[in-house]
């Protein structure tokens, strides 16, 4: 099912009854090992380290660099706690990071900025959207990202850092954070693309060969769009208020870029609306084609029945065994009956024609 | 019925015509005896007293503790009045406490803060949501809660106090009040979970074995969701303005927690919307499957009738008793009729095939 | 018809073309005689006078009392004009009083406060909601109410005054005015109760014995709810801005009570929304039960026809009169036909079973 | 068709490609001759002049009077230009006057106030709403009105001026302008009245004699309501901001009247909403009555077919010509067959009864 | 398909993973060659140059003129970059220009104003709306426009410049920019006109000859309206905030014109809403006509079957071969059967008449 009903709710309620601020990972355990990578870069050089252990993290943070620490896997709460202690993060933030049922939002704590949002990807095997929570902490010259599992939409950013493409190496942490947000909103576009293809296929099917499974497909696409809309809606709100906020975390250089991501998120919202309208218009189309088909089936039945029932009746009449049925003895009796039947058929066909039944 | 229509209205109108401020318990009498418990705690110690009488309440309030007095049962108005007098509560507030048809709201009276909201639980026997009004008064170092009957969602809080888990023992009355609100909003999540299960079952049924009782189930889930939405909507409004208010009742330490409850309430609202959309999408699915089934029934009828009506007509023709029917005497007459019938059937089957009737 | 379409419009348009400020009674003449009563009270005493004439009104207004003058009947414009002159009321206000098509609103004229709203009652005979316009003028120590006809929801207030129940005798005109507003909003609750009963009956009928008159009943309840919603909506707006206004007409003592009425009006709005959703959910239920019934009728037809049409065809075959039909002479011909028919029936029943037709 | 689709669009696009500010009359030419009338009045006297020529207009404007110049017919652009030059009106205003596709709005140019709105009337012959653009310019002691053609809803104002009824002769140009606005909003009420009658007729028809033309009537009423809503919506916006504006054009005496017109416009909006809901509720009613009828037709067919098809089969059996059919020779064979048929019919009727088919 | 789903999405996602600010033309390559034209004009003279090369652009910009440089074709990024460098345009703006999936918006960069919006035209061959992105940069005395391909709606502006019609030659760059916006909004009106024609044709078809292809046409018109609404919605927002902004780019002379364009955009929005309502009302009409037709088909079937099935049964009875069937020997047996059948038919026709079946 495409609606992600149960999963998110279960997460939340698993925690019900615990003291707030308790760090329990609420969500599916999606990876075995917590996997930490670190990238530090400035205009001149890039340092990249895979599989960092939590104790040696500080060794890789360089004061003259932008440092991006990425943590894949949230089930090992102790790792998060170590980082929380090191950077003096509020317990509620740590709780939000491990509890994967958050709405996208940002919170400005003065010392650091906390952003949480959803990264979506389309799982072709199960034909559903996979949703993963990404938390971003922006603190001094460090950007820390928390993901539920390895695999993300940030490879292009890594490549740009490695190959010094674009402006990323020249700018500061705020541009790094922006790049992450931009990559996530871009991931919504790739979902949109997939859905657009599904809808186009569906449209073809509705026009060419309407089958009852169309309704299930529409149900499923509606579910996808709903997930996308929910993820994008709150993100859009958040990006909008970030773009208008007077936070110190984003320099004047990067602010126009933030407006740009907000514009993109608006674009996603527009497209989702279009898709939703289109899908329900397709449902109308399908239902109307079904009722049209039923109509034509009924017409065939009615035409056949209306023509033959009276004829059969006449045949029945002359199949009666009354002794005294003078017509039976007439020489032209039999041909006359055929004649009468022929005339009746012609009349009825004419009437159907006049009523535009075929 | 799941819609709680009559109950809440009756309550209100039972009171119509009485002077405002009159304390009459409006609502079902859900418990026989008013049952008062008191818990006082600070960093170092916990005092707990069950079955306190109204006269000795003050004995259990300790000045160096956070004191939580919980009253189960609202029908004995005199108890409420004694408390009202002791703490100097406005008559309208007392009236609101005993009149269980209130909308969730908070009112800041300077000396004390009055919060009223709905605690929901799922009654598995009757498959309905039970709604109970909880009133909270926050005054100095005392938190007073009024419930309609024993049994609530606060046991986890009691355990945390007893076992000194989390931050509750270290913090003040405001954190206590927050914990109550948090527990109530968490109770909405457990309702959501139950509904999610019902909806998933329903979805399976719609896909596998669509039966007319689905519409009644959808009606009933819609009712549940409506109750949940109503309870959550006003609570959300209230929590939002509490989280943004500059009330002195909540310290800066606790304010982030209040924002957190507000976020949770937002999450409930989002999920309720998803569920509502899903349920109506399921109704579409079911109705379409019904109309598809009807369609296929019609087709069977039409195919059978369209094939046999003409054949029966031919049989009828040669059942006529005309004296002068040359075909009857022909040697190959009978087999020829069989031949003609066979050919007609083939042609009609071919036509049906071409029109994709089966 | 329950929708009050024409009446209110006609009223308005009857006046079209007249100079604004012209006092013409627009509305049905609902009573023969204008009937004036006066109640004056303070902490210590109550004076009540029925059937006051317009000329002697001033005699009953006591300076040390709260004076409530109630006028039933608006068609005698001269009465209204005398009062207007005495208290120096703006002509547009007088016009609003006699023209019963007003939206609920309040207007603060500095010297006096003018409130107009709708009093609703359920007319059991015609099964419709009766709507009556009530205008309230609050001026110094006098409260003047104008109603379209005798009979109202204020008897409980009169009793409280007479018997000194509640706080009414202790407080001033503003509490008097509040009591009137409260009584009117309470009248909405009694309508809600009636509608809740109608809806419950309807729900039973839909589940137990769905009949086509259900759609008419739903149409009628929708009409009722629409009237209620319209009356309450504008009242709510008005009460909300009254409760938030800084008008001098309401003392700090009475302001919390005003908030309370506003809350009640909010509650009515919530319930009306629930009822509307419920009613349309019931319509869905009914329509689905109708289509289900039709489906089962179709199935019966199809089963009977599909079984017997082929059998009748076989019988027809052996009713033919061909000279050369060898089967007719066979010894076991007749029983064999029965056998074939029996087998065919079994097969078809099996197919129906497999397709879950019964 | 009632939806005024093409006309208004064509007007606009006729102008596409012309320089803005170009005065071209966009709209139907509804009258042959431009017809100018002038009325000047003060407390003491009235001067009225029909068929004024554009050159002599100034002669009829008296400095100690309120002067109302009315121009019927917009196709002769030169007339508008002369007035524009005389009173120094902005070219865009003149363009708005002649281009009849404007949304209702007001514009305050400091020296003069420009108001444009729609006057509606019901054309009984074509059963459509006729919409005419009225532009009002308020400048010093002159009110200029521009209409598309002779005939308007201002006759009552003219009569009030002539006969010194109401306050119009005592007050200034602002009251004159208010009177015009009031008359136009009143014209919406008369449309509402007409629609109310149409809807009541429709309701009767739906309940008594549902015919397929009902859907077309509903379509047409929906169109009417849409035009009314569109005209009123923008007017309401405009009147609301006029009533709240601090423009110098309206004195304190007249401002309460402006609030009054705004109230009326609100009332129209409320009624239009009621009507729209009612009309769609009627559509539901009709469709349900259609499906009910179809249901009952199906039942008749099914009852007849279900009873007679098996009986006919039995008759067919004993119409077979097998040599060896022992029943045929039995003495009581024929009556037994009748008996069996009778019993079968009774059983089937009983089953139908039990299933509540009739 | 009319919904432009895939195209716009693909564009966006083609860019996903690239560094923001990278200039890649995202969109279809609609023209082979980048084509630049320049028009410079003042009150006294006009200079026009076609096919300017990017290097010589500066030669055609005259300091005492309004200079309009128009670039058709966006795929050659280097051209855009040259202009960007010359006028010091922000890289994000250049990116927005070449990436044709922008939402309409304006951005004030202090030195220059950047406006992007959609120019729509109806492609009669494919019966779809073509959408082209137009970017406008307003900088000092230069207006630069970027289009995707040659062919636009600005010819009327060019003619006005050449022939000195209207005010364009007398006013400055801001009026030039306004003229461009006005022409684009006017292009929406011409789309509206086309749609109005399509809808009128559709309406005729629904009333006269309802065919199943109507649903597809409605689907297609809905798609068109959706594109138009999307393009206009964001433009309207943008024009509204431009008209209210205190930007220095528009002088007081031109601001009223900006309000005027905003009004036009509002008018488009109103009309689109009307069209959408109309189209769905038409769908209702069509579906109801379909169900009415089906109803009448069912009635014919039922009437024929209900009359003839019993008659055929009677004929079947007397076709039985029982030896002992006394009626068969009666002299008036055969005529009596005809009589009985005749009476039965009359009765049934009467019953149908009474039930208003025909």
């Amino acid at each position: 099912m495409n609606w992600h009903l149960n999963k998110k709710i279960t997460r939340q309620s698993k925690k019900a009854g615990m003291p707030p601020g308790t760090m329990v990972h609420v969500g599916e355990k999606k990876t075995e090992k917590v996997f930490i990578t670190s990238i530090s870069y400035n205009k001149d050089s890039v340092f990249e380290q895979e599989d960092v252990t939590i104790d040696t993290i500080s060794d890789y943070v360089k004061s003259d660099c932008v440092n991006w620490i990425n943590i894949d896997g949230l089930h090992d709460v102790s790792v998060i706690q170590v980082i929380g202690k090191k950077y003096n993060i509020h317990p509620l933030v740590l709780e939000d990071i491990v509890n994967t049922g958050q709405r996208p939002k940002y919170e400005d704590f003065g010392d650091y900025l906390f952003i949480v949002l959803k990264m979506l990807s389309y799982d072709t095997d199960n034909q559903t959207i996979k949703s993963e929570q990404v938390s971003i902490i922006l603190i001094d010259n460090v950007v820390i990202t928390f993901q539920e599992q390895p695999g993300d939409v940030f490879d292009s950013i890594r490549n740009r850092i490695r190959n010094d493409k674009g402006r990323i190496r020249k700018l500061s942490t705020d541009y790094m954070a922006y790049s992450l947000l931009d990559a996530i909103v871009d991931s919504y576009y790739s979902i949109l693309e997939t859905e657009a293809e599904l809808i186009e296929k569906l449209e073809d099917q509705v026009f060419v060969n309407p089958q009852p499974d169309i309704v299930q497909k529409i149900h499923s696409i509606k579910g996808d769009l709903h997930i996308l809309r929910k993820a994008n809606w709150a993100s859009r709100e958040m990006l909008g208020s970030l773009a208008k906020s007077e936070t110190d975390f984003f320099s004047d250089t990067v602010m126009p870029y933030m407006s740009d991501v907000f514009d993109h998120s608006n674009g996603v919202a527009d497209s989702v609306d279009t898709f939703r309208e289109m899908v329900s218009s397709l449902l109308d189309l399908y239902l109307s084609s079904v009722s049209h088909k039923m109509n034509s089936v009924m017409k065939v039945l009615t035409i056949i029945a209306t023509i033959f029932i009276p004829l059969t009746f006449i045949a029945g009449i002359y199949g009666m065994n009354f002794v005294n049925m003078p017509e039976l003895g007439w020489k032209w009796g039999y041909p006359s009956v055929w004649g009468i039947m022929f005339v009746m058929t012609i009349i009825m066909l004419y009437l159907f024609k006049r009523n535009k039944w075929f």
Side-chain angles (χ1 to χ4, degrees), chain A:
Chain A
M1 114 166 160
N2 291 38
W3 291 74
H4 289 202
L5 289 190
N6 221 352
K7 208 172 51 179
K8 210 168 277 171
I9 307 307
T10 317
R11 285 175 196 166
Q12 196 65 34
S13 98
K14 212 208 282 187
K15 245 208 74 183
M18 293 203 174
T22 315
M23 281 188 53
V24 184
H25 174 236
V26 183
E28 298 169 61
K29 188 177 170 184
K30 290 184 176 165
T31 178
E32 270 313 300
K33 196 171 160 303
V34 176
F35 198 83
I36 306 179
T37 55
S38 144
I39 302 184
S40 306
Y41 63 86
N42 58 20
K43 236 185 298 180
D44 308 312
S45 51
V46 186
F47 309 90
E48 205 171 344
Q49 183 68 30
E50 299 234 333
D51 210 355
V52 179
T53 59
I54 185 67
D55 310 313
T56 59
I57 268 192
S58 310
D59 305 349
Y60 299 102
V61 173
K62 291 171 208 315
S63 60
D64 60 340
C65 282
V66 173
N67 299 281
W68 173 22
I69 301 168
N70 181 49
I71 291 128
D72 290 334
L74 305 174
H75 57 282
D76 189 352
V77 171
S78 63
V79 171
I80 317 292
Q81 265 167 336
V82 167
I83 293 174
K85 209 164 282 172
K86 197 188 297 293
Y87 290 103
N88 201 20
I89 309 289
H90 193 283
L92 271 177
V93 169
L94 299 181
E95 195 196 354
D96 282 355
I97 290 171
V98 291
N99 183 334
T100 61
Q102 301 306 311
R103 289 185 94 212
K105 63 175 175 184
Y106 83 93
E107 274 169 9
D108 186 339
F109 286 84
D111 293 336
Y112 55 93
L113 184 75
F114 171 59
I115 300 174
V116 58
L117 70 179
K118 302 287 172 196
M119 177 166 71
L120 303 182
S121 59
Y122 195 81
D123 176 353
T124 331
D125 296 341
N126 304 315
Q127 304 207 327
T128 51
I129 291 178
K130 277 192 311 180
S131 168
E132 192 179 335
Q133 174 166 318
V134 177
S135 309
I136 302 172
I137 287 178
L138 180 60
I139 182 165
D140 294 329
N141 65 334
V142 181
V143 176
I144 316 174
T145 50
F146 299 87
Q147 305 183 37
E148 296 183 48
Q149 60 184 350
D152 55 31
V153 296
F154 301 143
D155 281 338
S156 68
I157 302 179
R158 290 191 188 94
N159 285 328
R160 262 142 55 197
I161 294 173
R162 285 174 198 141
N163 307 325
D164 196 4
K165 270 190 195 158
R167 312 181 68 189
I168 195 160
R169 287 271 289 278
K170 280 142 215 121
L171 292 168
S172 185
T173 32
D174 53 353
Y175 190 86
M176 174 71 220
Y178 148 72
S179 300
L180 294 167
L181 297 176
D182 191 52
I184 286 169
V185 172
D186 271 354
S187 79
Y188 298 169
Y189 271 103
S190 74
I191 299 283
L192 275 179
E193 202 181 344
T194 312
E195 298 300 328
E197 271 166 37
L198 290 175
I199 294 175
E200 288 208 344
K201 266 190 218 156
L202 204 64
E203 198 175 33
D204 288 350
Q205 203 190 335
V206 168
F207 281 111
V208 175
N209 179 25
Q211 291 296 324
D213 66 332
I214 282 172
V215 189
Q216 292 187 18
K217 286 183 189 163
I218 286 175
H219 179 71
S220 151
I221 292 176
K222 270 188 193 168
D224 287 352
L225 292 176
H226 200 86
I227 293 170
L228 183 52
R229 185 163 164 261
K230 219 165 124 180
N232 184 62
W233 194 256
S235 307
R236 189 170 147 260
E237 226 170 73
M238 181 256 281
L239 292 167
S241 68
L242 256 186
K244 272 162 218 150
S245 74
E246 307 200 336
T247 177
D248 293 334
F249 288 100
F250 290 99
S251 60
D252 285 356
T253 323
V254 173
M255 278 319 261
Y257 290 93
M258 291 305 292
S259 300
D260 206 56
V261 201
F262 177 51
D263 276 358
H264 287 181
S265 190
N266 274 326
V268 172
D270 282 3
S271 291
V272 170
D273 282 351
T274 308
F275 284 25
R276 284 160 61 100
E277 281 213 20
M278 168 127 204
V279 158
S280 57
S281 178
L282 278 179
L283 187 60
D284 285 353
L285 253 179
Y286 168 67
L287 292 177
S288 140
S289 93
V290 164
S291 97
H292 174 64
K293 201 155 192 176
M294 177 137 172
N295 233 6
S296 68
V297 167
M298 290 306 303
K299 272 190 211 157
V300 168
L301 176 59
T302 307
I303 289 170
I304 294 291
T306 310
I307 291 178
F308 282 100
I309 287 179
L311 301 187
T312 306
F313 162 69
I314 292 174
I317 285 290
Y318 294 105
M320 293 194 296
N321 297 319
F322 285 99
V323 172
N324 183 21
M325 288 178 68
E327 298 98 319
L328 295 180
W330 294 351
K331 193 179 175 191
W332 294 103
Y334 180 54
S336 311
V337 165
W338 271 120
I340 290 167
M341 286 174 175
F342 185 74
V343 170
M344 279 176 68
T345 308
I346 295 298
I347 290 174
M348 278 191 288
L349 288 177
Y350 168 73
L351 288 176
F352 295 154
K353 195 83 198 165
R354 214 188 48 183
N355 284 319
K356 294 191 185 146
W357 283 22
F358 52 88

